[in-house]
Structures are given as structure tokens and as C-alpha cells.
Amino acid sequence: RVLFVAALVGAAVIFMLPFVWLISASLRPREYVFAPGFLPVPFAPENYAEAWRAGPLVTWLLNSLVVGVAAAAAVTLSSAWVAFGFAYFRFPGRNLLFGLVLATMMLPFAVTMIPTYLIWSELRLTDTQVPLWAGNLFGSAFYIFLLRQFLLSLPREYFEAARMDGASYPQLFWKLAFPLIRPALLVAFVFEFKASWTDLLKPLIYLRDEHLYTLPRGLKVVLDRFGYGGEQQWEVVLAGSVISTVPMIILFFLAQRHFIEGIATGGRKG
């Protein structure tokens, strides 16, 4: 057990080192950013004030929050509804159709990127935040698979009894299945929120107005201005990067118990 705990601590330290260095470097003066060591000496907390002044950071944070919540809620609810259909209904070709849904995970984003852009362009929704989340209304193969596994573990007798009492199919989903798979729904929500929060490619493709930028797109502006092609103020870029990670850390700690429960239960039921 001692060796096991030591291995876990060692792995945790290795995973934490880059983040510790990021925080340390963001608190150093410009000439000491890349100095060896993990202590912020000299100490320069004013880097964070510079990061706030580098752009409309509050607007970018709020945009990321709105887009992240919309994207996560859309994909969680739509995937749960599709997963319920695959888990409850028995019809010819169900397994084949489910296999086709899973096969879509093999398609890289680059394959569908241009056709998807053309669709949004025809709808005149480019340079809006709609394409960043509305595509999630059609579900995700990974979340459909995850939620279907949870639903298959529920006793079918629950649903049959509810049907005998006159419950409709939507009532079976909302009043019976939905509360029982809440840990899995939370896992899907957190995963998708994190994916949306850190997504840079879609905002690069669709957004032109700086006031519509999400945080990763805004940090790209800061990077261009103060990083590679700018004034080489890496302390500002690193401070902005730390600010961008704080909301995800808070979200994880708020949902930690349910999140870990959902992952563990999914592993047992899968």
C-alpha cells in the first residue's frame, strides 16, 4: 500500500508540475519568466493587472461561460434523449444503427469542418456565437454511448410499471430515467463544458467581432500582441492563461463528488 500511495503521489506531482510552473512564471517580472526554479522570485503580481488591461477579458469570460453552458446543456439533453431511445426501444436494426452512430466518432473534425461552415454560412449565422453551440443539439456519439450504458443498467421493470400506470414515453424519460442517470449527465455536462471552454478552432473559424470572442480566442489575440509576434511580454500571456483555468478548477471542485461518482459508476456498469 505504501508503494501504491507513493506511485500515486509521484504521478500527481508529475502532472502538477506544468501548472505549478505556469503560476510561478506568471508571477515573475519579464526578465525572470524563463528563469529556472518554481518559486516566483522576484514577485510581480501586477502581471495579472496587465493581463486584465490587455483586452476585454470580462467580456471574453462571459462569452465563454454562455457558450460553454449552452453547448454542454444542448449536447447532454440531446444525447440523453437519443440514448434513452437506444436503451429502451427494441426494434430491428437497433444494434446496426447504434454501431453507425458510434462510427461517427471516427470522423475527424477536419472532414466535416468545411461542409459545416458552408451550412452556417448559408444560414447567415457566421460571425455569431450560434455555430459554437447549436451543432450540439444533434447529440454526440460518445455521450450517447456513455448514457446508454447507464440506462441499460436500470431495471426494465421500472419503465414497464410506469407504462402500465399510464406514463407516456416523454414522462418515462423526464420523470424516471432522467433523475436516475444524473451522475452520468453531470459527467457529460462537465466534459462538454471543458471542451467548449478550451476550444480555439471554432471561434477562429466563425468569429470576427472581438466583442463576441470566447476566452481562448481572446487569449490568441493577447498571444499575437504580447507573445510570438508582439512585444514578447510572456508574463502577460501566462497570467491570462492562469485566469482562463480558474473557472474550470472551480467547476471541478463544485462537481467533484458527483463527477467522480459518475465516472466510477460508469466504469462498473460499462
Side-chain angles (χ1 to χ4, degrees):
R1 182 177 177 82
V2 173
L3 291 176
F4 177 72
V5 173
L8 287 179
V9 172
V13 169
I14 292 173
F15 276 98
M16 286 294 296
L17 280 178
F19 186 62
V20 172
W21 180 88
L22 173 67
I23 295 176
S24 174
S26 70
L27 291 168
R28 300 177 186 177
R30 186 178 312 166
E31 59 272 18
Y32 293 97
V33 168
F34 297 106
F38 291 93
L39 294 177
V41 179
F43 189 60
E46 61 273 11
N47 294 340
Y48 285 84
E50 288 293 328
W52 280 104
R53 289 193 290 266
L57 213 60
V58 175
T59 301
W60 296 341
L61 281 166
L62 291 176
N63 288 341
S64 285
L65 181 62
V66 171
V67 170
V69 170
V75 80
T76 301
L77 292 176
S78 58
S79 298
W81 187 247
V82 176
F84 175 74
F86 278 119
Y88 180 78
F89 296 106
R90 296 172 178 172
F91 53 90
R94 181 182 69 164
N95 292 334
L96 175 62
L97 185 59
F98 183 64
L100 291 175
V101 171
L102 294 183
T104 61
M105 289 194 293
M106 302 298 106
L107 292 175
F109 178 70
V111 173
T112 59
M113 180 172 61
I114 295 176
T116 303
Y117 178 84
L118 293 176
I119 292 172
W120 291 119
S121 179
E122 287 295 321
L123 294 173
R124 301 186 184 279
L125 289 173
T126 55
D127 201 22
T128 71
Q129 294 177 349
V130 174
L132 305 184
W133 62 267
N136 287 0
L137 291 171
F138 299 96
S140 164
F142 173 72
Y143 301 129
I144 291 171
F145 170 76
L146 174 70
L147 297 170
R148 176 180 175 270
Q149 294 303 108
F150 268 75
L151 286 163
L152 287 175
S153 69
L154 301 178
R156 190 175 179 85
E157 290 77 11
Y158 290 173
F159 300 98
E160 297 299 338
R163 284 290 293 165
M164 292 179 64
D165 289 337
S168 64
Y169 293 126
Q171 287 176 327
L172 289 182
F173 176 74
W174 289 111
K175 295 186 177 181
L176 189 57
F178 195 84
L180 292 175
I181 62 170
R182 193 170 299 165
L185 294 172
L186 184 60
V187 170
F189 186 92
V190 173
F191 274 0
E192 187 60 28
F193 184 86
K194 182 262 180 188
S196 175
W197 187 268
T198 58
D199 184 27
L200 173 61
L201 186 56
K202 285 183 182 178
L204 275 173
I205 294 172
Y206 292 106
L207 299 182
R208 298 292 179 268
D209 186 353
E210 186 171 300
H211 295 287
L212 296 176
Y213 285 177
T214 58
L215 191 57
R217 182 66 182 91
L219 289 178
K220 178 66 168 59
V221 174
V222 176
L223 179 63
D224 293 339
R225 189 179 304 164
F226 297 103
Y228 294 113
E231 306 171 30
Q232 297 293 313
Q233 298 183 27
W234 284 104
E235 72 282 1
V236 177
V237 177
L238 296 175
S241 299
V242 173
I243 292 172
S244 71
T245 63
V246 171
M248 283 307 306
I249 294 174
I250 294 174
L251 175 64
F252 176 77
F253 278 106
L254 289 176
Q256 181 182 15
R257 182 172 65 86
H258 300 289
F259 181 77
I260 295 176
E261 176 188 350
I263 292 291
T265 308
R268 290 196 303 267
K269 293 177 180 178

PDB file of all heavy atoms in Angstrom, residues 36-63:
ATOM      1  N   PRO A  36      15.173  29.321 -14.214  1.00  0.00           N
ATOM      2  CA  PRO A  36      14.924  28.000 -13.615  1.00  0.00           C
ATOM      3  C   PRO A  36      14.343  28.116 -12.215  1.00  0.00           C
ATOM      4  O   PRO A  36      14.533  29.124 -11.518  1.00  0.00           O
ATOM      5  CB  PRO A  36      16.324  27.364 -13.595  1.00  0.00           C
ATOM      6  CG  PRO A  36      17.272  28.515 -13.633  1.00  0.00           C
ATOM      7  CD  PRO A  36      16.613  29.579 -14.432  1.00  0.00           C
ATOM      8  N   GLY A  37      13.634  27.063 -11.806  1.00  0.00           N
ATOM      9  CA  GLY A  37      13.032  27.043 -10.479  1.00  0.00           C
ATOM     10  C   GLY A  37      11.531  27.224 -10.541  1.00  0.00           C
ATOM     11  O   GLY A  37      10.953  27.577 -11.574  1.00  0.00           O
ATOM     12  N   PHE A  38      10.888  26.980  -9.396  1.00  0.00           N
ATOM     13  CA  PHE A  38       9.432  27.042  -9.321  1.00  0.00           C
ATOM     14  C   PHE A  38       8.942  28.127  -8.362  1.00  0.00           C
ATOM     15  O   PHE A  38       7.744  28.237  -8.135  1.00  0.00           O
ATOM     16  CB  PHE A  38       8.872  25.683  -8.878  1.00  0.00           C
ATOM     17  CG  PHE A  38       9.025  24.607  -9.910  1.00  0.00           C
ATOM     18  CD1 PHE A  38      10.127  23.769  -9.906  1.00  0.00           C
ATOM     19  CD2 PHE A  38       8.077  24.443 -10.908  1.00  0.00           C
ATOM     20  CE1 PHE A  38      10.273  22.786 -10.862  1.00  0.00           C
ATOM     21  CE2 PHE A  38       8.204  23.456 -11.866  1.00  0.00           C
ATOM     22  CZ  PHE A  38       9.317  22.626 -11.853  1.00  0.00           C
ATOM     23  N   LEU A  39       9.847  28.908  -7.801  1.00  0.00           N
ATOM     24  CA  LEU A  39       9.435  29.975  -6.901  1.00  0.00           C
ATOM     25  C   LEU A  39       9.371  31.294  -7.657  1.00  0.00           C
ATOM     26  O   LEU A  39      10.304  31.628  -8.398  1.00  0.00           O
ATOM     27  CB  LEU A  39      10.406  30.092  -5.728  1.00  0.00           C
ATOM     28  CG  LEU A  39      10.442  28.903  -4.753  1.00  0.00           C
ATOM     29  CD1 LEU A  39      11.511  29.138  -3.676  1.00  0.00           C
ATOM     30  CD2 LEU A  39       9.084  28.684  -4.105  1.00  0.00           C
ATOM     31  N   PRO A  40       8.283  32.057  -7.504  1.00  0.00           N
ATOM     32  CA  PRO A  40       8.167  33.351  -8.197  1.00  0.00           C
ATOM     33  C   PRO A  40       9.011  34.429  -7.527  1.00  0.00           C
ATOM     34  O   PRO A  40       8.521  35.277  -6.777  1.00  0.00           O
ATOM     35  CB  PRO A  40       6.670  33.658  -8.085  1.00  0.00           C
ATOM     36  CG  PRO A  40       6.236  32.962  -6.850  1.00  0.00           C
ATOM     37  CD  PRO A  40       7.082  31.732  -6.731  1.00  0.00           C
ATOM     38  N   VAL A  41      10.291  34.389  -7.788  1.00  0.00           N
ATOM     39  CA  VAL A  41      11.230  35.351  -7.207  1.00  0.00           C
ATOM     40  C   VAL A  41      11.988  36.005  -8.356  1.00  0.00           C
ATOM     41  O   VAL A  41      12.634  35.304  -9.149  1.00  0.00           O
ATOM     42  CB  VAL A  41      12.219  34.655  -6.249  1.00  0.00           C
ATOM     43  CG1 VAL A  41      13.197  35.676  -5.679  1.00  0.00           C
ATOM     44  CG2 VAL A  41      11.482  33.938  -5.131  1.00  0.00           C
ATOM     45  N   PRO A  42      11.929  37.356  -8.454  1.00  0.00           N
ATOM     46  CA  PRO A  42      11.118  38.306  -7.685  1.00  0.00           C
ATOM     47  C   PRO A  42       9.616  38.132  -7.945  1.00  0.00           C
ATOM     48  O   PRO A  42       9.219  37.557  -8.933  1.00  0.00           O
ATOM     49  CB  PRO A  42      11.605  39.669  -8.183  1.00  0.00           C
ATOM     50  CG  PRO A  42      12.882  39.415  -8.901  1.00  0.00           C
ATOM     51  CD  PRO A  42      12.794  38.035  -9.432  1.00  0.00           C
ATOM     52  N   PHE A  43       8.821  38.696  -7.037  1.00  0.00           N
ATOM     53  CA  PHE A  43       7.375  38.536  -7.066  1.00  0.00           C
ATOM     54  C   PHE A  43       6.752  39.714  -7.802  1.00  0.00           C
ATOM     55  O   PHE A  43       7.030  40.882  -7.475  1.00  0.00           O
ATOM     56  CB  PHE A  43       6.852  38.437  -5.642  1.00  0.00           C
ATOM     57  CG  PHE A  43       5.407  38.048  -5.539  1.00  0.00           C
ATOM     58  CD1 PHE A  43       4.959  36.838  -6.044  1.00  0.00           C
ATOM     59  CD2 PHE A  43       4.495  38.896  -4.931  1.00  0.00           C
ATOM     60  CE1 PHE A  43       3.631  36.471  -5.942  1.00  0.00           C
ATOM     61  CE2 PHE A  43       3.166  38.536  -4.815  1.00  0.00           C
ATOM     62  CZ  PHE A  43       2.737  37.317  -5.333  1.00  0.00           C
ATOM     63  N   ALA A  44       5.906  39.436  -8.816  1.00  0.00           N
ATOM     64  CA  ALA A  44       5.329  40.508  -9.630  1.00  0.00           C
ATOM     65  C   ALA A  44       3.849  40.246  -9.884  1.00  0.00           C
ATOM     66  O   ALA A  44       3.447  39.860 -10.991  1.00  0.00           O
ATOM     67  CB  ALA A  44       6.085  40.629 -10.947  1.00  0.00           C
ATOM     68  N   PRO A  45       2.997  40.438  -8.888  1.00  0.00           N
ATOM     69  CA  PRO A  45       1.555  40.188  -9.077  1.00  0.00           C
ATOM     70  C   PRO A  45       0.895  41.171 -10.033  1.00  0.00           C
ATOM     71  O   PRO A  45      -0.225  40.938 -10.489  1.00  0.00           O
ATOM     72  CB  PRO A  45       0.991  40.330  -7.661  1.00  0.00           C
ATOM     73  CG  PRO A  45       1.963  41.208  -6.947  1.00  0.00           C
ATOM     74  CD  PRO A  45       3.311  40.886  -7.518  1.00  0.00           C
ATOM     75  N   GLU A  46       1.576  42.282 -10.354  1.00  0.00           N
ATOM     76  CA  GLU A  46       0.986  43.257 -11.266  1.00  0.00           C
ATOM     77  C   GLU A  46       0.820  42.701 -12.685  1.00  0.00           C
ATOM     78  O   GLU A  46       0.134  43.313 -13.522  1.00  0.00           O
ATOM     79  CB  GLU A  46       1.848  44.522 -11.328  1.00  0.00           C
ATOM     80  CG  GLU A  46       3.266  44.333 -11.833  1.00  0.00           C
ATOM     81  CD  GLU A  46       4.243  43.961 -10.721  1.00  0.00           C
ATOM     82  OE1 GLU A  46       3.785  43.646  -9.603  1.00  0.00           O
ATOM     83  OE2 GLU A  46       5.457  43.977 -10.996  1.00  0.00           O
ATOM     84  N   ASN A  47       1.404  41.530 -12.952  1.00  0.00           N
ATOM     85  CA  ASN A  47       1.208  40.906 -14.261  1.00  0.00           C
ATOM     86  C   ASN A  47      -0.270  40.622 -14.535  1.00  0.00           C
ATOM     87  O   ASN A  47      -0.724  40.699 -15.679  1.00  0.00           O
ATOM     88  CB  ASN A  47       1.996  39.599 -14.349  1.00  0.00           C
ATOM     89  CG  ASN A  47       3.490  39.824 -14.309  1.00  0.00           C
ATOM     90  OD1 ASN A  47       3.976  40.924 -14.585  1.00  0.00           O
ATOM     91  ND2 ASN A  47       4.233  38.784 -13.968  1.00  0.00           N
ATOM     92  N   TYR A  48      -1.016  40.304 -13.483  1.00  0.00           N
ATOM     93  CA  TYR A  48      -2.434  39.998 -13.660  1.00  0.00           C
ATOM     94  C   TYR A  48      -3.236  41.250 -13.993  1.00  0.00           C
ATOM     95  O   TYR A  48      -4.201  41.190 -14.755  1.00  0.00           O
ATOM     96  CB  TYR A  48      -2.980  39.306 -12.415  1.00  0.00           C
ATOM     97  CG  TYR A  48      -2.527  37.872 -12.323  1.00  0.00           C
ATOM     98  CD1 TYR A  48      -1.299  37.534 -11.770  1.00  0.00           C
ATOM     99  CD2 TYR A  48      -3.310  36.844 -12.832  1.00  0.00           C
ATOM    100  CE1 TYR A  48      -0.866  36.220 -11.713  1.00  0.00           C
ATOM    101  CE2 TYR A  48      -2.896  35.522 -12.782  1.00  0.00           C
ATOM    102  CZ  TYR A  48      -1.673  35.222 -12.223  1.00  0.00           C
ATOM    103  OH  TYR A  48      -1.241  33.914 -12.196  1.00  0.00           O
ATOM    104  N   ALA A  49      -2.818  42.385 -13.434  1.00  0.00           N
ATOM    105  CA  ALA A  49      -3.463  43.645 -13.816  1.00  0.00           C
ATOM    106  C   ALA A  49      -3.189  43.973 -15.275  1.00  0.00           C
ATOM    107  O   ALA A  49      -4.079  44.437 -16.005  1.00  0.00           O
ATOM    108  CB  ALA A  49      -2.968  44.781 -12.910  1.00  0.00           C
ATOM    109  N   GLU A  50      -1.973  43.678 -15.723  1.00  0.00           N
ATOM    110  CA  GLU A  50      -1.644  43.891 -17.131  1.00  0.00           C
ATOM    111  C   GLU A  50      -2.469  42.971 -18.028  1.00  0.00           C
ATOM    112  O   GLU A  50      -2.901  43.368 -19.114  1.00  0.00           O
ATOM    113  CB  GLU A  50      -0.155  43.644 -17.360  1.00  0.00           C
ATOM    114  CG  GLU A  50       0.761  44.710 -16.788  1.00  0.00           C
ATOM    115  CD  GLU A  50       0.589  46.039 -17.510  1.00  0.00           C
ATOM    116  OE1 GLU A  50       0.291  46.033 -18.721  1.00  0.00           O
ATOM    117  OE2 GLU A  50       0.734  47.085 -16.847  1.00  0.00           O
ATOM    118  N   ALA A  51      -2.680  41.750 -17.583  1.00  0.00           N
ATOM    119  CA  ALA A  51      -3.484  40.817 -18.367  1.00  0.00           C
ATOM    120  C   ALA A  51      -4.925  41.299 -18.489  1.00  0.00           C
ATOM    121  O   ALA A  51      -5.546  41.188 -19.557  1.00  0.00           O
ATOM    122  CB  ALA A  51      -3.438  39.426 -17.736  1.00  0.00           C
ATOM    123  N   TRP A  52      -5.481  41.845 -17.405  1.00  0.00           N
ATOM    124  CA  TRP A  52      -6.848  42.369 -17.457  1.00  0.00           C
ATOM    125  C   TRP A  52      -6.946  43.554 -18.408  1.00  0.00           C
ATOM    126  O   TRP A  52      -7.977  43.773 -19.051  1.00  0.00           O
ATOM    127  CB  TRP A  52      -7.309  42.792 -16.068  1.00  0.00           C
ATOM    128  CG  TRP A  52      -7.770  41.661 -15.221  1.00  0.00           C
ATOM    129  CD1 TRP A  52      -7.104  41.074 -14.194  1.00  0.00           C
ATOM    130  CD2 TRP A  52      -9.016  40.948 -15.331  1.00  0.00           C
ATOM    131  NE1 TRP A  52      -7.840  40.043 -13.660  1.00  0.00           N
ATOM    132  CE2 TRP A  52      -9.016  39.945 -14.327  1.00  0.00           C
ATOM    133  CE3 TRP A  52     -10.116  41.068 -16.174  1.00  0.00           C
ATOM    134  CZ2 TRP A  52     -10.076  39.065 -14.162  1.00  0.00           C
ATOM    135  CZ3 TRP A  52     -11.177  40.201 -16.008  1.00  0.00           C
ATOM    136  CH2 TRP A  52     -11.158  39.211 -15.010  1.00  0.00           C
ATOM    137  N   ARG A  53      -5.854  44.347 -18.509  1.00  0.00           N
ATOM    138  CA  ARG A  53      -5.875  45.512 -19.392  1.00  0.00           C
ATOM    139  C   ARG A  53      -5.536  45.155 -20.839  1.00  0.00           C
ATOM    140  O   ARG A  53      -5.664  46.001 -21.726  1.00  0.00           O
ATOM    141  CB  ARG A  53      -4.880  46.571 -18.889  1.00  0.00           C
ATOM    142  CG  ARG A  53      -5.312  47.263 -17.610  1.00  0.00           C
ATOM    143  CD  ARG A  53      -4.468  48.489 -17.343  1.00  0.00           C
ATOM    144  NE  ARG A  53      -3.096  48.126 -16.979  1.00  0.00           N
ATOM    145  CZ  ARG A  53      -2.672  47.977 -15.724  1.00  0.00           C
ATOM    146  NH1 ARG A  53      -3.517  48.155 -14.714  1.00  0.00           N
ATOM    147  NH2 ARG A  53      -1.425  47.659 -15.473  1.00  0.00           N
ATOM    148  N   ALA A  54      -5.096  43.922 -21.092  1.00  0.00           N
ATOM    149  CA  ALA A  54      -4.681  43.529 -22.439  1.00  0.00           C
ATOM    150  C   ALA A  54      -5.859  43.383 -23.391  1.00  0.00           C
ATOM    151  O   ALA A  54      -5.678  43.372 -24.610  1.00  0.00           O
ATOM    152  CB  ALA A  54      -3.893  42.218 -22.395  1.00  0.00           C
ATOM    153  N   GLY A  55      -7.058  43.279 -22.867  1.00  0.00           N
ATOM    154  CA  GLY A  55      -8.246  43.125 -23.702  1.00  0.00           C
ATOM    155  C   GLY A  55      -9.483  43.074 -22.824  1.00  0.00           C
ATOM    156  O   GLY A  55      -9.379  43.064 -21.583  1.00  0.00           O
ATOM    157  N   PRO A  56     -10.660  43.026 -23.440  1.00  0.00           N
ATOM    158  CA  PRO A  56     -11.914  42.938 -22.661  1.00  0.00           C
ATOM    159  C   PRO A  56     -12.091  41.536 -22.066  1.00  0.00           C
ATOM    160  O   PRO A  56     -12.947  40.755 -22.500  1.00  0.00           O
ATOM    161  CB  PRO A  56     -12.994  43.255 -23.704  1.00  0.00           C
ATOM    162  CG  PRO A  56     -12.400  42.856 -25.004  1.00  0.00           C
ATOM    163  CD  PRO A  56     -10.921  43.105 -24.893  1.00  0.00           C
ATOM    164  N   LEU A  57     -11.281  41.250 -21.050  1.00  0.00           N
ATOM    165  CA  LEU A  57     -11.226  39.895 -20.506  1.00  0.00           C
ATOM    166  C   LEU A  57     -12.553  39.475 -19.879  1.00  0.00           C
ATOM    167  O   LEU A  57     -12.953  38.312 -19.968  1.00  0.00           O
ATOM    168  CB  LEU A  57     -10.096  39.798 -19.475  1.00  0.00           C
ATOM    169  CG  LEU A  57      -9.374  38.451 -19.386  1.00  0.00           C
ATOM    170  CD1 LEU A  57      -8.733  38.123 -20.717  1.00  0.00           C
ATOM    171  CD2 LEU A  57      -8.308  38.473 -18.295  1.00  0.00           C
ATOM    172  N   VAL A  58     -13.246  40.421 -19.231  1.00  0.00           N
ATOM    173  CA  VAL A  58     -14.528  40.094 -18.604  1.00  0.00           C
ATOM    174  C   VAL A  58     -15.550  39.688 -19.671  1.00  0.00           C
ATOM    175  O   VAL A  58     -16.285  38.706 -19.504  1.00  0.00           O
ATOM    176  CB  VAL A  58     -15.050  41.291 -17.778  1.00  0.00           C
ATOM    177  CG1 VAL A  58     -16.444  40.992 -17.239  1.00  0.00           C
ATOM    178  CG2 VAL A  58     -14.102  41.607 -16.632  1.00  0.00           C
ATOM    179  N   THR A  59     -15.565  40.412 -20.780  1.00  0.00           N
ATOM    180  CA  THR A  59     -16.472  40.069 -21.884  1.00  0.00           C
ATOM    181  C   THR A  59     -16.157  38.693 -22.437  1.00  0.00           C
ATOM    182  O   THR A  59     -17.061  37.886 -22.699  1.00  0.00           O
ATOM    183  CB  THR A  59     -16.364  41.122 -22.999  1.00  0.00           C
ATOM    184  OG1 THR A  59     -16.708  42.403 -22.475  1.00  0.00           O
ATOM    185  CG2 THR A  59     -17.288  40.780 -24.158  1.00  0.00           C
ATOM    186  N   TRP A  60     -14.873  38.402 -22.619  1.00  0.00           N
ATOM    187  CA  TRP A  60     -14.481  37.086 -23.132  1.00  0.00           C
ATOM    188  C   TRP A  60     -14.857  35.976 -22.157  1.00  0.00           C
ATOM    189  O   TRP A  60     -15.296  34.904 -22.564  1.00  0.00           O
ATOM    190  CB  TRP A  60     -12.984  37.061 -23.412  1.00  0.00           C
ATOM    191  CG  TRP A  60     -12.554  38.013 -24.486  1.00  0.00           C
ATOM    192  CD1 TRP A  60     -13.354  38.590 -25.433  1.00  0.00           C
ATOM    193  CD2 TRP A  60     -11.239  38.520 -24.716  1.00  0.00           C
ATOM    194  NE1 TRP A  60     -12.623  39.418 -26.240  1.00  0.00           N
ATOM    195  CE2 TRP A  60     -11.324  39.395 -25.833  1.00  0.00           C
ATOM    196  CE3 TRP A  60     -10.005  38.331 -24.105  1.00  0.00           C
ATOM    197  CZ2 TRP A  60     -10.201  40.058 -26.335  1.00  0.00           C
ATOM    198  CZ3 TRP A  60      -8.893  38.985 -24.605  1.00  0.00           C
ATOM    199  CH2 TRP A  60      -8.997  39.844 -25.710  1.00  0.00           C
ATOM    200  N   LEU A  61     -14.683  36.230 -20.863  1.00  0.00           N
ATOM    201  CA  LEU A  61     -15.068  35.234 -19.863  1.00  0.00           C
ATOM    202  C   LEU A  61     -16.564  34.957 -19.900  1.00  0.00           C
ATOM    203  O   LEU A  61     -16.997  33.800 -19.859  1.00  0.00           O
ATOM    204  CB  LEU A  61     -14.649  35.706 -18.467  1.00  0.00           C
ATOM    205  CG  LEU A  61     -13.182  35.530 -18.076  1.00  0.00           C
ATOM    206  CD1 LEU A  61     -12.855  36.347 -16.827  1.00  0.00           C
ATOM    207  CD2 LEU A  61     -12.868  34.065 -17.818  1.00  0.00           C
ATOM    208  N   LEU A  62     -17.357  36.033 -19.970  1.00  0.00           N
ATOM    209  CA  LEU A  62     -18.815  35.856 -20.015  1.00  0.00           C
ATOM    210  C   LEU A  62     -19.244  35.144 -21.291  1.00  0.00           C
ATOM    211  O   LEU A  62     -20.144  34.292 -21.267  1.00  0.00           O
ATOM    212  CB  LEU A  62     -19.500  37.220 -19.903  1.00  0.00           C
ATOM    213  CG  LEU A  62     -19.380  37.923 -18.549  1.00  0.00           C
ATOM    214  CD1 LEU A  62     -20.019  39.306 -18.599  1.00  0.00           C
ATOM    215  CD2 LEU A  62     -20.024  37.090 -17.444  1.00  0.00           C
ATOM    216  N   ASN A  63     -18.607  35.481 -22.416  1.00  0.00           N
ATOM    217  CA  ASN A  63     -18.928  34.796 -23.670  1.00  0.00           C
ATOM    218  C   ASN A  63     -18.625  33.308 -23.574  1.00  0.00           C
ATOM    219  O   ASN A  63     -19.420  32.463 -24.015  1.00  0.00           O
ATOM    220  CB  ASN A  63     -18.134  35.409 -24.819  1.00  0.00           C
ATOM    221  CG  ASN A  63     -18.631  36.785 -25.212  1.00  0.00           C
ATOM    222  OD1 ASN A  63     -19.761  37.163 -24.896  1.00  0.00           O
ATOM    223  ND2 ASN A  63     -17.797  37.549 -25.880  1.00  0.00           N
TER     224      ASN A  63
END
